[in-house]
Amino acid sequence: MRHGKYPFVVGFLAAPVTLYVVFVIAPYAQAFQISMTNWRGFSAPEWTGFGNYRRLVQDDRFWKAIEHHAVLLVALPLITIAIALFFAFLLNVGGRSTGGQRRGVWGSNFYRVVFFFPQVLAVAIVAVLFQTVYRPNSSGLIDGVLMKLGFDPVLFLVKPSLALWSIIAVLVWQAVGFYVVLFSAGMSAIPSDIYEAAEMDGATRVTLFFRVTLPLLWDTLQVAWVYLGIAAFDAFAIVSVLSVDNGGPDGATTVLALEIYRNAFVYSKYGYASAMGVALFFLTLTFAALTLRLSKRESVEY
């Protein structure tokens, strides 16, 4: 058995590892190679070394996109996790205790379906839907109502100070349902005996949330933060559809993925776009590693 184990393992892993190398590792390596050239997609690429990266450091659009990602990295996870935790707590342990079992609020099963509904919609559909919500005239869902009531329109996507936050609101709306389900699964795994013991000691619902639920959900929160951070580094489809003039107004909503698309498929600067892609790859990798490292703590057993 011992002599036949390794050939079996190698044979079992050969196909998936080969596919991973061909379709994941190889494109990354090729992107790095292209980033060292001035290739425009038509003629033979000319080797430029780190020229694209030096140009990247001096690009104002690149740094503006990094700025927006910094805002997204803080706002999107914090707001999404806070809202999802609140709703998940209500749906699982926020109701009255029946027969010694802590239950969610009345109608919690229905609310789970409602919260998860945005996950069923394609990203493009969500973006088009909120185009109607944010439309800056009488046909817009919000500004149209305000104008009929005699107020000035807010112009969510037109004002540079509001445009990015309006897009963040859409990203939160789309993501909350998934994390409500994720946190609900984590909460359902917590034994009810722990809640009962805490209640017998006089714990209120606020105390239950901060002293019992949060510590026992820490690993799930860690995963959620990493996922949302990766989503903050993406956000291409929502920004592309909702923003004025692809990242506007005046670059107020641009993100790296949008700049990569613009440089590659509008200006045919594939080498420079690849350099941006490599930068985005390392930024995402660094964020995930730092988050897992800084949020690491001893697991709580129960």
Side-chain angles (χ1 to χ4, degrees):
M1 289 296 292
R2 179 174 297 179
H3 295 291
K5 179 175 67 174
Y6 295 108
F8 172 77
V9 172
V10 171
F12 186 78
L13 293 178
V17 169
T18 301
L19 290 173
Y20 186 80
V21 169
V22 171
F23 293 106
V24 178
I25 302 299
Y28 279 129
Q30 188 177 20
F32 184 74
Q33 178 189 4
I34 294 173
S35 72
M36 296 289 191
T37 70
N38 66 350
W39 187 46
R40 300 184 66 88
F42 304 105
S43 58
E46 181 183 345
W47 185 263
T48 59
F50 289 96
N52 286 323
Y53 294 97
R54 287 192 291 270
R55 180 183 168 193
L56 203 62
V57 175
Q58 301 170 355
D59 190 343
D60 291 338
R61 296 278 299 192
F62 172 77
W63 289 111
K64 186 171 282 190
I66 293 290
E67 241 179 82
H68 298 156
H69 282 301
V71 175
L72 284 164
L73 279 173
V74 176
L76 181 59
L78 275 179
I79 298 172
T80 304
I81 289 174
I83 295 174
L85 271 176
F86 174 73
F87 286 135
F89 185 76
L90 290 180
L91 296 179
N92 288 273
V93 293
R96 295 184 177 181
S97 181
T98 306
Q101 290 287 331
R102 180 52 87 166
R103 299 185 181 278
V105 296
W106 182 85
S108 57
N109 290 331
F110 171 74
Y111 294 137
R112 282 192 183 92
V113 176
V114 172
F115 289 141
F116 193 75
F117 178 70
Q119 291 295 313
V120 180
L121 301 175
V123 177
I125 293 175
V126 171
V128 171
L129 175 66
F130 275 88
Q131 270 187 331
T132 304
V133 174
Y134 287 146
R135 194 170 292 158
N137 51 41
S138 57
S139 63
L141 186 61
I142 299 177
D143 283 344
V145 172
L146 290 175
M147 292 171 71
K148 287 179 182 178
L149 293 175
F151 297 99
D152 293 331
V154 178
L155 307 176
F156 292 96
L157 298 175
V158 178
K159 291 183 179 178
S161 59
L162 286 178
L164 183 62
W165 291 101
S166 301
I167 290 175
I168 289 174
V170 178
L171 293 170
V172 170
W173 181 85
Q174 183 193 23
V176 159
F178 174 80
Y179 293 97
V180 168
V181 174
L182 181 67
F183 296 149
S184 294
M187 290 180 190
S188 64
I190 299 174
S192 58
D193 297 346
I194 297 177
Y195 288 108
E196 291 173 19
E199 285 180 335
M200 290 177 65
D201 290 337
T204 62
R205 290 186 182 180
V206 176
T207 305
L208 285 175
F209 179 77
F210 285 103
R211 302 299 294 272
V212 178
T213 304
L214 273 184
L216 296 178
L217 273 183
W218 188 258
D219 290 341
T220 307
L221 289 172
Q222 188 184 52
V223 172
W225 195 282
V226 172
Y227 281 179
L228 285 165
I230 293 172
F233 275 116
D234 184 13
F236 169 76
I238 295 288
V239 174
S240 179
V241 175
L242 281 180
S243 63
V244 178
D245 193 25
N246 278 337
D250 195 24
T253 59
T254 190
V255 291
L256 279 177
L258 196 59
E259 291 302 315
I260 292 170
Y261 177 85
R262 191 200 314 275
N263 280 280
F265 300 108
V266 177
Y267 304 131
S268 296
K269 298 177 181 178
Y270 293 100
Y272 189 57
S274 296
M276 281 191 175
V278 171
L280 178 59
F281 168 75
F282 282 109
L283 283 171
T284 307
L285 202 63
T286 303
F287 164 78
L290 284 176
T291 301
L292 292 173
R293 176 65 180 171
L294 295 176
S295 61
K296 186 178 180 181
R297 55 181 290 182
E298 292 183 5
S299 59
V300 180
E301 297 182 2
Y302 51 87

